[in-house]
Amino acid sequence: MAAAGEMSQGAAGAKPVLQVRIELQHIEPMIWRRLQVPGDCTFWDLHVAIQSAFAWNDTHLHEFRPVGQRDGHPRLGMPLDDFDENPPLPGWAHRVADVLTHANPRFEYEYDFGDGWEHVIVLEDILEAAPGKTYPRCTAGERSAPPDDCGGPHGYESLLETLADPEDPDHASSHAWASGQKGRRGRFDPEAFDEQKVKFANPAPRLKRLLAYIASQRR
């Protein structure tokens, strides 16, 4: 393991890997994932990996920031609003390892500012890449993440009550809606999660589309 804040190649030249635990806030029992990502990954790369691991649709804004500090520094994400006096830094231009270290092991990630899905990211370890393994990888986790656009933690609580009550008039339609979300497979089960089934999206095409959109808005 590398010393605090260091990204060592190791004696055999193995590339470093960050092991992080991502915990979704304000929902009990906790929903969480353990990811291993390349040591040179950017915040955009980590964002896309989190989206894949939680089966989010990546259809909303996001931001990384110090835990509990909405105006803290650094803030990294999608600087789309030209009228924002303090826009976040572009996540694709900054490495996670330069911010998340053993000396500063916790960071916050929010997805969808309307629903407010807040996650705490904890750096657990800095490892050496294993021969033959591809990264990112999801190695553990618990419980399915809420569907996109279900109204945040309170909306999700209401959805779970509906899904658990066969007598509720919205029971069948809510199951169909939750199960039909992009990235979901089969009938939605809030308690189910299998890390072996996580398929990671390629961050490069998404970034290319985003940069093209930003350029079109500034013409």
Side-chain angles (χ1 to χ4, degrees):
M1 184 179 71
E6 293 182 356
M7 297 297 296
S8 173
Q9 291 287 329
K15 294 183 178 180
V17 169
L18 303 179
Q19 179 169 293
V20 295
R21 176 182 170 109
I22 300 106
E23 302 173 350
L24 182 59
Q25 304 297 287
H26 314 304
I27 293 178
E28 293 293 340
M30 181 176 289
I31 298 167
W32 64 275
R33 305 286 185 263
R34 175 172 291 120
L35 303 183
Q36 294 178 347
V37 299
D40 60 354
C41 79
T42 67
F43 279 93
W44 174 261
D45 298 331
L46 180 58
H47 156 70
V48 174
I50 293 173
Q51 290 287 305
S52 296
F54 281 82
W56 297 121
N57 288 338
D58 199 7
T59 53
H60 302 281
L61 295 174
H62 72 274
E63 184 174 277
F64 294 89
R65 56 182 177 247
V67 175
Q69 301 181 43
R70 288 190 171 273
D71 296 320
H73 179 78
R75 292 168 50 240
L76 303 111
M78 306 164 70
L80 300 179
D81 189 352
D82 289 338
F83 297 99
D84 188 345
E85 295 182 357
N86 184 32
L89 300 172
W92 51 88
H94 297 270
R95 294 196 325 159
V96 175
D98 293 334
V99 177
L100 196 66
T101 66
H102 285 307
N104 180 45
R106 293 165 61 84
F107 222 58
E108 188 169 280
Y109 167 77
E110 183 174 1
Y111 167 63
D112 185 353
F113 300 154
D115 279 5
W117 299 115
E118 296 180 352
H119 310 67
V120 170
I121 302 171
V122 181
L123 176 64
E124 293 187 321
D125 208 347
I126 299 176
L127 312 169
E128 290 186 353
K133 297 289 186 181
T134 58
Y135 298 90
R137 301 178 64 221
C138 182
T139 62
E142 289 185 297
R143 307 184 72 224
S144 177
D148 265 79
D149 302 315
C150 69
H154 293 297
Y156 185 50
E157 182 179 355
S158 177
L159 175 64
L160 290 181
E161 292 175 356
T162 299
L163 297 179
D165 183 5
E167 303 301 320
D168 191 297
D170 295 325
H171 176 79
S173 61
S174 294
H175 259 298
W177 174 79
S179 301
Q181 290 274 308
K182 179 181 177 182
R184 307 283 175 176
R185 296 178 176 85
R187 188 174 176 84
F188 179 74
D189 180 355
E191 300 304 318
F193 177 70
D194 183 354
E195 63 271 16
Q196 300 296 324
K197 295 182 178 180
V198 174
K199 304 297 183 184
F200 288 98
N202 185 345
R206 294 192 188 188
L207 179 57
K208 184 177 180 179
R209 291 193 294 269
L210 175 62
L211 294 178
Y213 171 78
I214 293 175
S216 71
Q217 297 300 301
R218 293 177 178 174
R219 287 172 187 163

